[in-house]
Amino acid sequence: MKSFCDPLSFAKITIFLFSFVLLATANHAHEEFLQCLSSLIPKSIIYTPNNPTYSTILSSKNQNPRFSSSSIKNPSVIVSPLNVSHIKPTVYCSKKHGVQIRIRSSGHDYEGVSFQSTVPFFVLDLSNLRSIRVDAESKTAWVQTAVTLGELYYRIAEKSKTLGFPGGLCSTVCVGGQLGGGGYGFQSRTYGLASDNIIDAQLINAQGKILNRKSMGEDLFWAIRGGGAGSFGIVIAWKIQLVDVPPTVTIFEATRYWENNATKKFIHQYQRRASKIDKDLTIFIGFRTVNASDEQGNSKIKILAIISATFHGSRDRLLPLMQKEFPELGLLKEDCTEMSWVRSIAHWNGFRDDDDPLDVLLNRTNNFVPNAFKLRSDYVKKPISDDVLEKLLDRLYEEELGGGVVEFFPSEEN
Ligand SMILES: Cc1cc2nc3c(=O)[nH]c(=O)nc-3n(C[C@H](O)[C@H](O)[C@H](O)COP(=O)(O)OP(=O)(O)OC[C@H]3O[C@@H](n4cnc5c(N)ncnc54)[C@H](O)[C@@H]3O)c2cc1C
Ligand SMILES: *[C@@H]1O[C@H](CO)[C@@H](O)[C@H](O)[C@H]1NC(C)=O
Ligand SMILES: *[C@@H]1O[C@H](CO)[C@@H](O)[C@H](O)[C@H]1NC(C)=O
Ligand SMILES: *[C@@H]1O[C@H](CO)[C@@H](O)[C@H](O)[C@H]1NC(C)=O
Ligand SMILES: *[C@@H]1O[C@H](CO)[C@@H](O)[C@H](O)[C@H]1NC(C)=O
């Protein structure tokens, strides 16, 4: 029989008592918080769980089915400001009644931190803050937090064929979290991270004050560009520097089986050279298992390397470069396609047909990840040795077919 001295049963009892106390104060705080909100902002933008729209708003921004489980705690309230003036009173009530804010733009966060928490919390849903002003002349734009990357690229291309922005790949991610966290994509080797190209910001701090770069000071302005802005305040909008993109970019996608020696040689060289070659070229490599057949026509699970690249220049410049740097890949002219910069973004988002209208970039529904997923990124500062990489990729066989993926982006540090 377990005694009360057993640390495990002791822990259970304390947790029980503790959560009971927490629950009681939480309910009380919740009621007062709600009253506070109702007295300061329109009731029509406050959603409690008994409002039918509450679950629609909550689930429409959940980008990962992993967080749909019933064990995930939902927010006590969702506040969806229609304009910036609604945010200050919301911050005030949150502080006054000790209810934590979770700031959400599009909900793409890998760990769902924009819509879940272990303590009593509410979601500040910023999805209505979607205005965007592109000024082609000064090559700048003011972008509100819930503008998606796809929308940003589309609106830039509308104004100019030779301006772009180095954000991420996935068009449904919002600038709120992406620019605050860094932002890496096919343009980053050429133009830097998304956050390197922020020149001003509008931020609401814990006192409800609206700050810009000048009034927040350079330290805070530095921190919110990469440090995850949510730790410092609520970003209303970013002012970004647009970059000059060539009228024609070239892309290629090549697939090679990992078991081929030429592929291994290419990956070996890639790890050592990708960060040193012409900055107009970015190559991403993804590995996944596929159901293939061997020489006898019997089906066999193999690992496929999917090699994708964007080159900010013409095919005639890219081919000799690839021949010189990565002859093992044996890239051919017909593997490469020239297109406009904005078309390449649509291409990498799955719209590969030239006839697909570019406004697919305005679609805010993510069709990339229908399955629950867990993602982990790390910087590889020195090349992974061939035998370690072999062991790492072997782990893919333990996953569902096509399920586990290992990806390489060229690190600039090795
Ligand atoms: C399918 C998919 C593809 C992706 N592709 C890329 C890629 O190519 N390149 C890349 O770099 N990243 C990529 N990411 C990662 C993505 O950039 C981050 O998850 C980013 O933080 C998402 O920002 P969000 O505003 O869309 O999401 P949210 O989940 O709404 O927010 C993410 C974080 O930022 C905070 N936040 C959001 N808005 C604000 C605001 N206005 N003020 C303060 N804090 C705020 C949130 O509280 C949360 O902590 C991808 C993610 C997914 C799910
Ligand atoms: C913000 O919304 C309120 C309604 O709650 C409205 O009275 C006000 O004019 C709006 N302000 C702006 C700048 O749109
Ligand atoms: C591939 O490389 C391995 C190890 O270096 C070698 O043993 C094998 O003969 C090579 N296969 C081919 C087809 O060249
Ligand atoms: C692979 O394909 C073969 C032939 O189509 C099929 O019989 C087999 O079940 C498939 N294997 C997996 C794991 O899907
Ligand atoms: C937007 O994308 C989703 C997911 O791919 C799709 O189901 C929907 O039909 C698209 N909407 C429009 C208007 O194209």
Side-chain angles (χ1 to χ4, degrees):
M1 226 195 100
K2 282 191 175 177
S3 79
F4 277 110
C5 300
D6 182 318
L8 268 179
S9 43
F10 181 68
K12 259 183 222 145
I13 286 172
T14 22
I15 287 166
F16 174 74
L17 288 176
F18 187 58
S19 53
F20 180 74
V21 173
L22 251 174
L23 206 67
T25 40
N27 275 337
H28 189 61
H30 167 74
E31 282 311 317
E32 292 195 325
F33 172 61
L34 211 53
Q35 269 170 23
C36 177
L37 285 178
S38 308
S39 67
L40 296 174
I41 58 174
K43 288 198 180 58
S44 58
I45 62 165
I46 305 171
Y47 301 90
T48 50
N50 53 20
N51 183 317
T53 315
Y54 168 93
S55 48
T56 317
I57 299 183
L58 192 63
S59 63
S60 70
K61 307 283 163 22
N62 177 358
Q63 310 286 353
N64 187 345
R66 182 156 68 95
F67 302 119
S68 306
S69 134
S70 56
S71 64
I72 303 283
K73 221 185 186 153
N74 285 329
S76 61
V77 181
I78 300 173
V79 176
S80 288
L82 293 173
N83 63 42
V84 176
S85 67
H86 299 143
I87 297 178
K88 181 176 178 175
T90 307
V91 171
Y92 166 80
C93 295
S94 146
K95 271 184 66 180
K96 184 163 180 215
H97 299 288
V99 184
Q100 194 183 76
I101 304 186
R102 288 285 149 156
I103 310 161
R104 186 178 70 178
S105 289
S106 81
H108 277 75
D109 190 86
Y110 289 157
E111 292 303 322
V113 301
S114 53
F115 52 90
Q116 54 173 307
S117 175
T118 50
V119 300
F121 76 109
F122 76 103
V123 165
L124 180 63
D125 168 46
L126 297 173
S127 58
N128 296 317
L129 300 186
R130 286 173 52 180
S131 87
I132 169 167
R133 252 186 7 244
V134 176
D135 181 5
E137 205 159 300
S138 66
K139 300 184 183 178
T140 59
W142 269 107
V143 205
Q144 277 193 327
T145 178
V147 169
T148 63
L149 291 173
E151 211 170 340
L152 172 61
Y153 301 144
Y154 182 89
R155 298 291 170 214
I156 296 171
E158 226 176 23
K159 288 268 173 84
S160 160
K161 302 287 169 249
T162 54
L163 288 176
F165 184 72
L169 283 173
C170 177
S171 62
T172 56
V173 171
C174 281
V175 299
Q178 160 110 158
L179 273 62
Y184 192 88
F186 272 124
Q187 291 85 44
S188 310
R189 288 201 71 236
T190 318
Y191 305 107
L193 295 177
S195 55
D196 292 331
N197 292 282
I198 300 174
I199 50 180
D200 203 344
Q202 237 191 342
L203 180 87
I204 294 194
N205 70 7
Q207 283 71 47
K209 253 181 107 166
I210 300 188
L211 306 174
N212 60 17
R213 178 174 185 167
K214 207 164 166 207
S215 54
M216 78 177 78
E218 287 301 307
D219 286 352
L220 185 53
F221 184 61
W222 176 82
I224 59 172
R225 293 172 301 148
S231 314
F232 307 98
I234 299 160
V235 173
I236 303 305
W238 302 109
K239 185 180 188 185
I240 57 173
Q241 182 69 60
L242 306 181
V243 300
D244 293 308
V245 294
T248 304
V249 306
T250 308
I251 66 160
F252 69 79
E253 251 173 315
T255 53
R256 301 284 188 271
Y257 288 116
W258 168 240
E259 64 184 16
N260 296 348
N261 283 357
T263 311
K264 295 192 180 180
K265 189 158 178 214
F266 165 66
I267 305 291
H268 178 94
Q269 302 291 27
Y270 168 83
Q271 283 206 73
R272 285 151 185 87
R273 275 199 242 141
S275 66
K276 300 185 178 77
I277 59 175
D278 190 328
K279 287 223 182 283
D280 280 338
L281 177 62
T282 301
I283 306 174
F284 292 170
I285 305 174
F287 295 92
R288 60 173 73 229
T289 49
V290 291
N291 193 352
S293 46
D294 62 14
E295 293 80 36
Q296 285 78 44
N298 301 316
S299 90
K300 187 180 171 205
I301 307 300
K302 291 186 182 177
I303 292 174
L304 191 67
I306 301 150
I307 301 141
S308 322
T310 293
F311 179 65
H312 292 103
S314 68
R315 179 161 61 181
D316 291 345
R317 238 181 87 210
L318 173 63
L319 277 168
L321 174 67
M322 286 301 291
Q323 201 39 252
K324 174 171 165 263
E325 301 287 351
F326 302 114
E328 314 78 19
L329 193 61
L331 195 75
L332 301 172
K333 190 171 179 195
E334 47 271 33
D335 298 325
C336 305
T337 316
E338 291 186 328
M339 56 182 71
S340 69
W341 178 82
V342 69
R343 174 61 69 187
S344 77
I345 306 273
H347 179 96
W348 295 126
N349 277 278
F351 304 103
R352 306 203 160 189
D353 194 336
D354 277 352
D355 293 334
D356 282 326
L358 280 171
D359 61 12
V360 290
L361 290 173
L362 301 176
N363 191 332
R364 302 173 76 85
T365 311
N366 178 9
N367 67 349
F368 258 32
V369 277
N371 301 313
F373 66 95
K374 167 86 183 166
L375 260 165
R376 178 85 177 83
S377 307
D378 209 344
Y379 286 100
V380 179
K381 290 189 182 158
K382 52 181 204 249
I384 300 174
S385 69
D386 295 348
D387 53 331
V388 169
L389 184 59
E390 195 84 50
K391 283 189 194 124
L392 178 72
L393 292 178
D394 270 348
R395 292 284 295 275
L396 292 181
Y397 292 116
E398 294 165 24
E399 299 289 329
E400 238 172 76
L401 186 65
V405 178
V406 172
E407 284 188 316
F408 276 95
F409 301 150
S411 151
E412 291 304 307
E413 294 181 50
N414 68 35

